[in-house]
Amino acid sequence: MKTAALGPRYRVTALREMSENGYDVLVIGGGIVGAGAALDAASRGLSVALVEARDWASGSSSRSSKLIHGGLRYLEQLDFRLVREALKERRLLLTRLAPHLVHPVPFLFPLTHRIWERLYIGAGMTLYDVMGGLRSVVPRHRYLNHRRALEEAPGLRPDALVGALQYFDGRTDDARMTLAVVRTAAEYGATVVNRARAVELLRDGPRVTGARVLDLESGQEMTVRARQVISATGVWTDQILAMAGAEGPPIMKPSKGVHIVVPREAISLRTAMILRTEESVLFVIPWGQYWVIGTTDTRWSLDNDHPVASRADIDYLLDHINTVLLRPLTHDDIEGVYAGLRPLLTGSAATTAKLSREHLVAAPVPGLVIIAGGKYTTYRVMAKDAVDMAVRELGDAVPESVTERVPLFGAAGYEARWNGRRRLAERFGLSVLTVERLLRRYGSEIGEVLDLVAADPALGQPLHGGPGYLRVEAVYAASHEQALHVEDVLTRRTHISIEERDRGLAAASEVAALIAPVLGWDDGRRRRETENYRLHVEAELAAERRPDDATAEVVLHSVPELSASAISERDTGIHP
């Protein structure tokens, strides 16, 4: 099957097709669940359109803890079904669906009580191992005495633990995995467009028959008709329900989670770590040359489009991690910060057609299916549940879901490519380490990236201001991955925005120059994109110095929304 290159020409064609064709299913929302629903429907042989108001994974799906896990803490809540379901999905992702993007990681759980805690937590981890299956793809947990625990974590204070338990879970690049699902859906025939906002639901009497969609890049509107509409809009679900005229109290209760990123040398650990807090748990997760530390868990009632980290959030994370560290972290250690919203359900949602503790699927009006809540790890199950409900009304003999057996973009042949990584390095004049990094981002489709290097060897050089990435990755983001702005490249196609202390400012102008020929930008547009990114970074940094959410959000709202049409309006002095 020919891979879908989601470049500028594809987007133009896709927009035209959406306005001219009718679809079996229109999916609104390009996070992990919406992408999963598009793939599930397309792989059943249905015609599918997928629209996302901003960039792929720009909401919660790029701002997670980067974990693929069973939810060890849910065992305490006796939610065995959820844990079993998540562990099954973890196994599928590690072995079949996305082995290039999901990798096992050891976690250290420090113990502070010698007997009861070891027995209590150890019993939970034993159950976790058993529920993971007899042929688990990750090692089973083990107990470490005080000396061995400190060998694994020499950066911990000796008096902060009496021993530890070590277990395994999975880690992923959440934004790139969402993109892989989108591209896989496109491979199977789905028409996919980002920066296209559903502004109104179409109706035929009481029935939803599609949506009016605004292309934020051109400012043009179009009508997309479909026999069924699936809303996978996460924390924006209540807005879709209001658009549909569905009466009732809000069903979403967003919770804000903030993470900080620090260099690997700032904490002397050989393993990831999980700590208990008074609210939940705190993770320390390896992320390339960095640690990701999170998360907070605070109720959010402000603008869902712009969750923001405040000084209070960052201080909370530093205070809690410093309770166990020999060398306390300070604000000066922080390379990056990101904030996201968990799409949690309210109590009222718990009484609807919920299929598990974590997510619900409902048909509030004819022709519209809502999928809400859930965990990143179980996105595939959520997507299947949503499509199952949608196809009930199609009246056709629609096949059952097959996504359990459909590898994601870059998965098929990944192991063979990995085994040949040294030959690839020699052929293209790259280091083996660089090829390994590329394989973990693009999997077996690394050839698409390296073909661009073969055509222009200068693209094989590291990005200025983002040395962990090659120049070709910026070009590929625009030519194959539907990146439309500098921010898309620096924040989600790469992660320079959280991995460099300047949040990617030094890389912005070079990225703009690299993607300009692909996207048809002139010099003026290049400068404006770079300036727009600078404004957003400065606003985020200023917000992080504010004491609370309300004052931090005011700062972030001072920067206009990112879109080509908005940039053009600012250029001409025209403002809506």
Side-chain angles (χ1 to χ4, degrees), residues 471-489:
R471 301 175 81 234
V472 69
E473 296 185 74
V475 175
Y476 184 81
S479 64
H480 287 69
E481 297 178 336
Q482 216 168 75
L484 301 175
H485 296 278
V486 167
E487 188 246 354
D488 298 345
V489 177

Side-chain angles (χ1 to χ4, degrees), residues 404-440:
E404 187 174 320
R405 300 181 296 279
V406 176
L408 297 183
F409 182 85
Y414 165 68
E415 290 183 354
R417 283 289 201 180
W418 180 264
N419 291 340
R421 62 194 184 277
R422 288 179 175 81
R423 291 178 60 193
L424 282 175
E426 292 173 4
R427 178 182 170 189
F428 291 95
L430 302 171
S431 71
V432 174
L433 180 61
T434 296
V435 171
E436 288 177 350
R437 287 200 298 252
L438 293 174
L439 282 165
R440 290 193 178 105

Side-chain angles (χ1 to χ4, degrees), residues 61-74:
S61 295
S62 62
R63 305 178 187 188
S64 73
S65 295
K66 321 298 185 190
L67 293 178
I68 297 295
H69 63 127
L72 183 63
R73 64 191 177 97
Y74 294 120

Side-chain angles (χ1 to χ4, degrees), residues 76-388:
E76 272 193 306
Q77 302 167 15
L78 305 181
D79 202 336
F80 302 120
R81 177 181 173 180
L82 173 63
V83 175
R84 187 180 297 108
E85 182 178 82
L87 287 173
K88 175 187 175 182
E89 295 304 307
R90 184 190 71 177
R91 175 176 56 81
L92 286 172
L93 288 164
L94 280 166
T95 60
R96 181 188 301 166
L97 302 185
H100 57 310
L101 293 171
V102 182
H103 307 281
V105 176
F107 280 82
L108 196 75
F109 189 109
L111 301 173
T112 56
H113 298 84
R114 293 187 181 279
I115 300 176
W116 73 264
E117 190 179 25
R118 176 183 174 184
L119 294 174
Y120 178 67
I121 302 298
M125 289 190 180
T126 298
L127 181 58
Y128 198 63
D129 290 338
V130 171
M131 294 176 74
L134 295 176
R135 292 182 295 176
S136 176
V137 295
V138 299
R140 297 184 180 277
H141 86 280
R142 60 174 181 158
Y143 171 73
L144 303 177
N145 62 24
H146 187 258
R147 177 183 59 80
R148 292 175 65 198
L150 287 178
E151 288 175 355
E152 289 290 304
L156 299 189
R157 290 192 353 248
D159 62 348
L161 72 167
V162 296
L165 292 169
Q166 189 174 61
Y167 72 101
F168 281 75
D169 254 324
R171 179 194 63 209
T172 191
D173 183 329
D174 51 4
R176 293 209 63 86
M177 192 160 97
T178 301
L179 181 63
V181 179
V182 171
R183 293 196 67 181
T184 311
E187 284 185 345
Y188 285 95
T191 305
V192 302
V193 175
N194 61 357
R195 306 279 180 188
R197 185 186 302 275
V199 294
E200 181 184 358
L201 295 178
L202 304 178
R203 307 294 282 265
D204 183 2
R207 186 174 190 81
V208 171
T209 58
R212 187 163 56 87
V213 175
L214 173 65
D215 174 21
L216 296 178
E217 295 302 293
S218 67
Q220 300 298 310
E221 287 189 358
M222 62 182 174
T223 296
V224 184
R225 299 197 176 275
R227 299 165 67 193
Q228 286 283 307
V229 175
I230 296 176
S231 167
T233 52
V235 295
W236 294 272
T237 298
D238 286 319
Q239 287 90 317
I240 295 292
L241 288 172
M243 198 182 293
E247 300 295 332
I251 69 169
M252 302 307 299
K253 183 176 63 176
S255 169
K256 185 179 68 166
V258 172
H259 296 77
I260 59 176
V261 181
V262 302
R264 285 292 283 269
E265 60 267 21
I267 307 176
S268 182
L269 289 175
R270 300 191 182 97
T271 174
M273 187 167 62
I274 178 174
L275 302 172
R276 282 182 175 273
T277 71
E278 64 275 13
E279 293 181 358
S280 180
V281 293
L282 189 73
F283 292 107
V284 181
I285 303 160
W287 179 257
Q289 300 303 308
Y290 309 90
W291 298 104
V292 171
I293 303 172
T295 177
T296 62
D297 188 359
T298 55
R299 185 168 183 178
W300 180 259
S301 58
L302 301 174
D303 183 3
N304 288 342
D305 287 348
H306 299 288
V308 58
S310 68
R311 178 81 180 210
D313 297 318
I314 297 170
D315 286 344
Y316 170 89
L317 294 173
L318 290 176
D319 289 346
H320 281 76
I321 189 62
N322 284 339
T323 61
V324 299
L325 295 182
L326 270 175
R327 186 190 80 81
L329 297 177
T330 71
H331 286 267
D332 291 338
D333 291 304
I334 296 174
E335 299 277 339
V337 178
Y338 63 95
L341 299 179
R342 299 179 190 87
L344 302 182
L345 304 170
T346 65
S348 61
T351 64
T352 65
K354 187 165 61 123
L355 298 184
S356 81
R357 178 186 175 277
E358 285 288 301
H359 73 268
L360 69 86
V361 181
V365 297
L368 176 66
V369 170
I370 298 288
I371 175 74
K375 291 163 52 69
Y376 194 105
T377 301
T378 56
Y379 82 89
R380 192 194 64 81
V381 177
M382 296 172 63
K384 172 185 175 297
D385 291 344
V387 177
D388 281 346

Side-chain angles (χ1 to χ4, degrees), residues 502-513:
D502 70 349
R503 309 294 171 93
L505 287 179
S509 60
E510 183 179 15
V511 166

